[in-house]
Amino acid sequence: MSRGHERGLLGRPRDPGAVALVHEGRAFTFGDVAALGADVGNQVGSHPLKRRVVGVPAERSPEFVARLAGVWGAGAVPAILGDWGPERVRGALTATRAAAAFAPSGALDLLDTTADEEPEETSHILFTSGTTGGPKGILVGRTAFEAASTAFFKELPMDGSDRVAFLSRPGHDPSLRELVAPWATGATLFIPGPRTAADPRLMAAWLAEHAITVLQGSPVLLRLMAGSSPPVDSLRLVCSAGARLTAATLRATARFAPYATIANCYGASETPQVLCMHQVPPGEGAVSEDPVPIGRPLGHAVTRIVPADAAGGEGRLHVEAAACALGYTDGTPLLSPGQDGRGWYDTGDIVRLLPDGSMCFVRRADRQVQVNGARVELDEIEGAAAKVAGVVESVATFVEDSGGVGSVRLTVVGGTTTEDEVRAVLRDHLDPAVMPSSIEVRDAWPDDDQGDDGPAVTLMEVLRESARSALDGGEIDPDGGFFEAGFTSMSLMRFVSEVSVRLGTEISPLLVFQYPSLNSFAGYLRRADGHGQSR
């Protein structure tokens, strides 16, 4: 890779002439990526940035891989920035005390080259949800990251014949497994274009076209692809990551990838990477238990359930320090000392020990939720809403259907505030994945003894309002297609979830493929349930 590169799995040597990745029909060899990384490394190395934080916007592109390699090669620490609004990006750079950041154009902007150096052990910085409306940085250590990645590829071996899809959201923990796969295993990484990545129908066809053998995806994405495509026979390994995998989604995925092992992967950015795994061999997805187990810890990790003697075997899952990140950028303690003298990270997840020694996820112990594969604290959404002029109070709630599809609803009190004003501020401060599926503005909270049904609305009004909210304020032609109107798998989930909540009945998101416009969707709902009005 780039000169002096001694950090990260991207530094592992490979045949320079072998293909490392393919992007929109163009093949990049390991030598090509090394040359791009060397250019970035020279750019970073020309400034006093060694062991200082450099912001790197995440995207599905060879340039993103090269920037990570170049920053690592120059001895700096990449802070991986998501697809966020300007305020959230500024908040992330401030939280990490970044010395420089790459602009969308590729130029390197210097911010504060006198910023403190990070520990030599720091590999990179990821971001999780805080409680104040801003992002919270996680310092990931090189040793823990490489140990977790090595354990993952030992559990799920890959080689030069594998074709790995880059489908995970850039900047999230799972995407790093995809990015390092070529260097760790010799596999080839295939990167879809933006239109393909946004539409599960095109994505499924793209998998078949390129004979993809390995993919990762959130349960929502797997469910959507399974409902919009015939089986993809080339798949031999499918990893579910980022949220709870239900038996219904597992069955659908097994039909979509009939010859694949399906791995339910559990972990957090703090662990980092995959901590536990449960594998379902080909042909056995239809008989898996519900909830699907998260399995046992991989070989690099030690876990415990606290308290150990809890009734029913349920307790909080703790992870020993060696498998954890170094800490948070704001100084919040990550680890708590145990009576055994070791440090432990409390995941906040309640798990149950199964008779065979594996575990299953039961629930969260706090207000942290998973939305579209992204983790968020409801306090962060409320904190972002508090930044809106005129908002007095706000409450964020989470709803989830039996298939594991969840969304956030936000209610704010602020008589002079409009929904569009709230939405604009949230768009600038939140990860797009966790934007509320609906935003309701009230003058005041209703009295407990008074009804608050409001006027009856028609089914089409419910659909129009839900679609507008899911499209972040955009309008939709009632006879036009959902995807032609700009829906993505993420916004589609928000739309279906909001309609389900408002109508008081669970609606499968797969129906949008059968009834791909507002009018046809409304017609189906009327025939199926007799909906004419909803309160």
Side-chain angles (χ1 to χ4, degrees), residues 314-325:
E314 290 187 6
R316 298 170 76 109
L317 181 61
H318 287 198
V319 185
E320 200 270 332
C324 295

Side-chain angles (χ1 to χ4, degrees), residues 67-435:
R67 285 175 191 154
L68 282 180
V71 172
W72 271 325
V77 177
I80 303 176
L81 309 172
D83 180 19
W84 305 328
E87 282 301 323
R88 187 169 182 83
V89 170
R90 279 193 286 270
L93 295 175
T94 300
T96 58
R97 301 176 294 280
F102 284 96
S105 64
L108 182 65
D109 296 331
L110 298 182
L111 304 176
D112 180 9
T113 55
T114 65
D116 294 339
E117 294 183 350
E118 293 297 334
E120 180 66 28
E121 168 65 7
T122 306
S123 170
H124 56 278
I125 298 175
L126 296 174
F127 293 90
T128 188
S129 174
T131 58
T132 61
K136 186 176 182 180
I138 301 171
L139 295 164
V140 178
R142 184 172 67 254
T143 301
F145 174 59
E146 294 204 7
S149 299
T150 300
F152 176 83
F153 292 116
K154 181 179 180 180
E155 190 75 17
L156 299 175
M158 302 176 200
D159 59 31
S161 68
D162 277 308
R163 301 157 77 87
V164 180
F166 185 5
L167 297 188
S168 299
R169 294 188 65 221
H172 285 218
D173 236 11
S175 69
L176 294 182
R177 294 193 289 277
E178 296 163 351
L179 293 184
V180 304
W183 285 265
T185 71
T188 302
L189 181 68
F190 282 74
I191 306 177
R195 185 164 176 263
T196 297
D199 187 335
R201 301 169 304 173
L202 299 178
M203 196 180 296
W206 177 85
L207 294 174
E209 176 188 355
H210 294 284
I212 298 299
T213 62
V214 178
L215 74 82
Q216 294 187 115
S218 68
V220 165
L221 178 60
L222 296 177
R223 188 175 175 187
L224 283 175
M225 286 196 296
S228 63
S229 167
V232 178
D233 293 344
S234 62
L235 289 169
R236 70 165 193 86
L237 175 62
V238 175
C239 298
S240 174
R244 179 174 64 93
L245 177 65
T246 65
T249 299
L250 176 60
R251 288 193 294 271
T253 304
R255 292 191 296 270
F256 173 67
Y259 303 110
T261 293
I262 302 171
N264 187 24
C265 299
Y266 167 88
S269 298
E270 287 91 347
T271 50
Q273 296 299 307
V274 172
L275 179 70
C276 301
M277 184 185 296
H278 172 72
Q279 296 188 43
V280 181
E284 297 185 17
V287 296
S288 181
E289 57 265 57
D290 196 7
V292 179
I294 60 172
R296 295 180 174 84
L298 301 187
H300 71 294
V302 176
T303 63
R304 66 182 185 183
I305 298 176
V306 179
D309 58 351
E314 290 187 6
R316 298 170 76 109
L317 181 61
H318 287 198
V319 185
E320 200 270 332
C324 295
L326 300 176
Y328 296 108
T329 54
D330 64 359
T332 303
L334 177 70
L335 304 175
S336 300
Q339 294 181 348
D340 54 7
R342 295 187 289 177
W344 294 86
Y345 167 60
D346 180 357
T347 65
D349 287 335
I350 305 298
V351 300
R352 181 169 66 248
L353 187 65
L354 300 176
D356 65 357
S358 64
M359 297 177 288
C360 71
F361 172 81
V362 179
R363 63 184 181 279
R364 284 293 300 179
D366 54 19
R367 299 186 75 212
Q368 189 180 100
V369 298
Q370 293 277 2
V371 185
N372 299 313
R375 193 177 77 181
V376 65
E377 300 201 23
L378 296 177
D379 290 349
E380 181 184 7
I381 296 174
E382 294 169 354
K387 301 178 187 295
V388 182
V391 169
V392 177
E393 192 175 358
S394 63
V395 173
T397 56
F398 179 71
V399 293
E400 187 177 40
D401 67 19
S402 61
V405 177
S407 65
V408 174
R409 309 187 87 209
L410 178 68
T411 303
V412 301
V413 172
T416 62
T417 305
T418 67
E419 178 186 334
D420 287 341
E421 289 171 339
V422 175
R423 189 180 305 284
V425 172
L426 295 186
R427 188 187 305 121
D428 213 15
H429 286 83
L430 296 177
D431 185 321
V434 302
M435 281 289 291

